[in-house]
Structures are given as structure tokens and as C-alpha cells.
Amino acid sequence: MAALACVGAVVAPAAAAQWTASSPTSASSSSSSSCGIGASQSVGFRGSAMAVKPLRVFRTQKVAVKASSQGGEAPVAVKEKETPQGIEHEQMVSERPSSLLREGEGVQWDNPSTASMRARFETMIRKAQDDICAAVEAVDGGKFREDAWIRPGGGGGISRVLQDGNVWEKAGVNVSVVYGSMPPEAYRAATGGTSSNGGSTNKAGRIPFFAAGVSSVMHPKNPMAPTVHFNYRYFETDAPQGVEGAPRAWWFGGGTDLTPSYIFDEDVKHFHQTQKDACDKHDPEFYPKYKKWCDDYFLIKHRGERRGLGGIFFDDLNDRDADQILAFSTECANAVIPAYIPIIEKRKDMPFTAEQKAWQQLRRGRYVEFNLVYDRGTTFGLKTGGRIESILMSLPLTARWEYDHAPEEGSEEWNLLDACRKPREWAV
């Protein structure tokens, strides 16, 4: 569940300045929750005589140019983040770009039907981020902090995090567009080694990829209110230049799942029914298939229990027209607010005990274990030099581990653990 989240490059018009970059032409990745994935590329900047008052700069000042609202061109100062190993190389920007895609990749905002799939997917995830952040702020009363950045080889991300709010301990909603190349082991992490997209058969070198996605995790303060995670993503891979046998593929992935500390049957039924209703609009076989996939994916193998009470999860989806899958992904992203916010509004002010808070912290520990050990998105982000703050955004502020803890049989805590060990059917 590492969410994808980086910021798109602002490319200067040739008359003012020119970016010269060495980078692959297309790309792909996979993730169920990790953010900020992708390897950076080398870049040079030349040709501009424009004077710009710099921001605080960690290492190297660079300037991009974007169209201003007055029709001219306004400079946007950026700062390159310095890292000990030089892995990330993202450059923070003072304003989020209107698009995170490279220039000329079919961005036609006035005519979405003719826009490229990359452009249409970016439009969807940017809207999802805006809508969900607005809904969370309306309930919490706090405001998200926003960080935006670009990568020299193209792409970038926007991270929004609300921390120590009135309702949520930590809530993050990230979007990213990433161009890069990945080693074979990262490709296998991205695809889970599936043969449908070449994950188990690729013997070639680094794989050029494009990845875009929105990812979110929200951890409430009240143990009676559940955590939610969602991630929707689109990927492309291409063959390295001069290398035969590498896969060329595209696919979609995503899902939404619920992780409560205490079970309120009506809440879990509402959440799952909302997922089923969204799925049924596109294919009645989707919900049972993707509900089981979710239960299987979020298994913490060394514990023999699931992270939570599931929802839906799908990956490597390319078995039908891409427009149909985009419509399905959009439907699922739009279902997040009606599935989750009504539950929070019912549970956020419920009284709770210190013992119940401690149980929540133990369950948060399970959340951390899954994300750091098993999550494909987190693994992919770490292997490709992603933005660490975005990758680890999914982790809660606080968690707890106790030696050999076991809830009393028949207790509310035991009921939750039993449901995590033996998944139940919630939707009708």
C-alpha cells in the first residue's frame, strides 16, 4: 500500500530555456499502497538568462518556466533534495504543476475523449485527490499540508498529509506520475512475478516504465473508527533499447480496504456493499473475485491473519478494453467517500477506554508489519529509489508490540482477530 506520489515536471518552452534529459520513453510499476516510486534520470538546464530570486536550496538551484494566468511565462523556483546516496533527486517546487506528464503526451484538457490514456488517468487521480481531501477536511476541521515535486527525467508527485488532526492521527492522499527504468527484481516486485505481463519470464536488463496512481491511508485517533486504504494505478512497460525479449505491457491495478480495531457489523456491511455496488455496475463477477483477492493479498503470512476486514483488490488488469477498465477504476475511486466518511462520522466521537486504545495500537503494529514486509508497492518504491516520505506515508504515527499478546476468547478484540483469520462475507 505504498502509494504512488510524485510531482510532474514543468517543461520550459524552447524559446526561454531547454531541458536536456537522458530518460526512457515509457514505463510501468505496481503498487497497492506505495507512493513516490521511480528512478530519477540525469538532466541539464541551459539557455535561460532569467533572474529568479531563489528559494532555500539544498544543493542545486534550477528554474522551470510555466504559463502564467496573464498569458506570459512565470518562473517557478525549485530546489533539489540532497540525499546521501543520491537516490531520489526529486526537486521540490513552490506550486503544483497543472500536469505531471511530459510535454506532448496527449494532454488535451478541453477534449478528454481524445486525450491519451496517461492524460485521462492523471485527470482522474488528481480529481480523486481533490475530492477526498475536501471530504476529510470537512469532517476533521484541519488542513492538509501539500508537498509538490518534479523529477528531472519527467513526472513528479503531490503529497498531501494531515497529521495530528481532530479526527485523524494521520491521513495522507498522494498522487504521482513517474518515468524511469527498473532492475528486473523491481519489475518482479511490481508485478508479483505474474506471467501475464512478463513478470516471471523477463531475463532482460533494466525495464523502462511509466506509472501513475493515487494512494491513501487514513488512521483515525478513536479506536472505534476504522482505518481505510485505497490505491488506483496505471502502468506501462517497454523494452530497453537494443534488448530483445523484454516485455511490453500495460495494466491497471487498485483497491479499497477497511481495517477496524473493533467490529460494528453495520459499518463493515455498508463498506463492502458500497464496493459491491461499484463493481456490479461493470461486471457482477468483479466483487466476489476482487473481494477474495483482497483477503488473500492482505494476509500477514507470519501471523496467519489478515491486516483487516478487506474490501476489493485487483492488479495486472488488462483483459478488456482500456477505456472500460479506466471507467471501472474511476467508479471505485468515486466510491471511497460514500463507503468511508459515513462510518467516520458515526464513530469519531464515541467514548473509549485506555485498554481499547492499546488494542488499536497493537492492530496498528500489524499494519506496519504488512506494509514493510509484504506490500508490493512499498517494495517497488524502495527498490526504485522512490521518495521515502511518500512511500512511508502509509505508516501510523504510533503503534505497539507486546510479547505473546492474546485477547480473551469471546471478547470484542477476539472477534476482530477471528474475522481477520477467517474472512467473512459482508455484502448481499
Side-chain angles (χ1 to χ4, degrees):
M1 118 166 21
L4 300 165
C6 308
V7 153
V10 180
V11 181
Q18 180 180 358
W19 289 99
T20 58
S22 171
S23 59
T25 57
S26 73
S28 174
S29 92
S30 180
S31 151
S32 39
S33 75
S34 176
C35 223
I37 60 175
S40 60
Q41 304 297 319
S42 61
V43 66
F45 185 73
R46 66 174 185 263
S48 175
M50 185 180 299
V52 178
K53 182 178 180 180
L55 300 173
R56 284 193 308 116
V57 179
F58 294 143
R59 183 167 58 190
T60 304
Q61 177 69 36
K62 299 187 187 292
V63 177
V65 178
K66 60 179 279 187
S68 73
S69 58
Q70 288 75 30
E73 289 160 354
V76 178
V78 300
K79 59 184 179 181
E80 181 176 351
K81 181 177 179 182
E82 184 173 20
T83 55
Q85 293 82 24
I87 298 174
E88 294 185 72
H89 295 303
E90 76 267 3
Q91 300 163 352
M92 309 307 292
V93 294
S94 56
E95 297 179 34
R96 61 181 180 270
S98 59
S99 174
L100 308 179
L101 296 173
R102 289 173 177 164
E103 190 175 34
E105 286 202 331
V107 182
Q108 300 179 36
W109 305 108
D110 58 339
N111 190 1
S113 65
T114 62
S116 69
M117 180 55 67
R118 293 182 179 188
R120 293 162 64 194
F121 195 83
E122 186 201 9
T123 299
M124 186 274 278
I125 62 178
R126 294 282 291 266
K127 184 178 186 301
Q129 185 186 46
D130 289 344
D131 292 348
I132 291 162
C133 287
V136 169
E137 289 182 344
V139 174
D140 188 274
K143 295 293 183 182
F144 281 86
R145 164 185 169 173
E146 179 177 289
D147 289 327
W149 68 95
I150 62 174
R151 285 184 181 275
I158 304 169
S159 284
R160 294 180 185 168
V161 177
L162 190 159
Q163 191 163 287
D164 280 326
N166 298 308
V167 175
W168 280 276
E169 175 185 279
K170 189 179 180 186
V173 188
N174 296 344
V175 298
S176 69
V177 171
V178 183
Y179 301 82
S181 65
M182 52 184 159
E185 60 269 21
Y187 185 81
R188 288 189 289 270
T191 62
T194 60
S195 58
S196 64
N197 49 37
S200 62
T201 60
N202 174 41
K203 304 297 184 182
R206 296 184 68 87
I207 308 299
F209 72 88
F210 168 87
V214 58
S215 184
S216 175
V217 180
M218 303 184 194
H219 297 290
K221 290 184 173 180
N222 194 314
M224 301 300 157
T227 289
V228 74
H229 156 258
F230 69 88
N231 176 282
Y232 292 95
R233 55 200 179 273
Y234 171 68
F235 309 99
E236 296 175 7
T237 60
D238 201 356
Q241 185 175 5
V243 176
E244 297 296 331
R248 293 175 174 85
W250 60 265
W251 67 93
F252 292 78
T256 305
D257 60 278
L258 194 71
T259 305
S261 299
Y262 289 91
I263 295 179
F264 295 91
D265 282 0
E266 65 269 31
D267 294 352
V268 187
K269 289 177 180 178
H270 164 78
F271 181 85
H272 274 266
Q273 191 64 48
T274 305
Q275 308 309 311
K276 183 176 185 298
D277 291 345
C279 289
D280 287 351
K281 293 178 182 179
H282 297 266
D283 191 324
E285 295 183 1
F286 276 174
Y287 174 75
K289 178 180 179 180
Y290 298 152
K291 192 268 185 187
K292 183 180 185 305
W293 200 342
C294 187
D295 289 336
D296 293 342
Y297 178 79
F298 288 106
L299 175 66
I300 307 171
K301 299 180 180 65
H302 60 273
R303 297 282 189 181
E305 63 192 61
R306 278 79 187 165
R307 188 178 71 179
L309 299 186
I312 59 171
F313 176 88
F314 61 93
D315 212 350
D316 310 320
L317 190 59
N318 58 6
D319 63 346
R320 60 195 69 200
D321 185 79
D323 288 341
Q324 295 178 344
I325 306 176
L326 174 63
F328 171 59
S329 298
T330 303
E331 189 85 50
C332 293
N334 290 341
V336 171
I337 293 173
Y340 182 59
I341 294 299
I343 298 174
I344 291 295
E345 290 175 327
K346 283 196 298 183
R347 306 302 173 192
K348 65 185 178 65
D349 297 319
M350 288 184 65
F352 59 88
T353 66
E355 290 75 19
Q356 289 170 328
K357 184 66 177 179
W359 171 250
Q360 179 200 51
Q361 299 302 291
L362 287 170
R363 296 311 302 173
R364 294 269 172 85
R366 298 294 201 266
Y367 209 95
V368 172
E369 289 178 28
F370 178 85
N371 282 27
L372 294 184
V373 177
Y374 299 111
D375 185 72
R376 280 165 56 176
T378 302
T379 302
F380 181 86
L382 295 175
K383 286 181 180 295
T384 54
R387 184 175 187 265
I388 299 301
E389 291 301 319
S390 296
I391 295 171
L392 300 183
M393 173 275 294
S394 63
L395 301 182
L397 281 183
T398 57
R400 180 184 180 95
W401 285 264
E402 291 184 13
Y403 181 76
D404 198 25
H405 181 275
E408 180 181 353
E409 187 170 351
S411 66
E412 290 181 306
E413 293 80 8
W414 179 89
N415 184 40
L416 184 280
L417 188 57
D418 182 67
C420 290
R421 289 172 174 168
K422 295 176 289 184
R424 303 171 186 176
E425 297 300 323
W426 301 100
V428 295

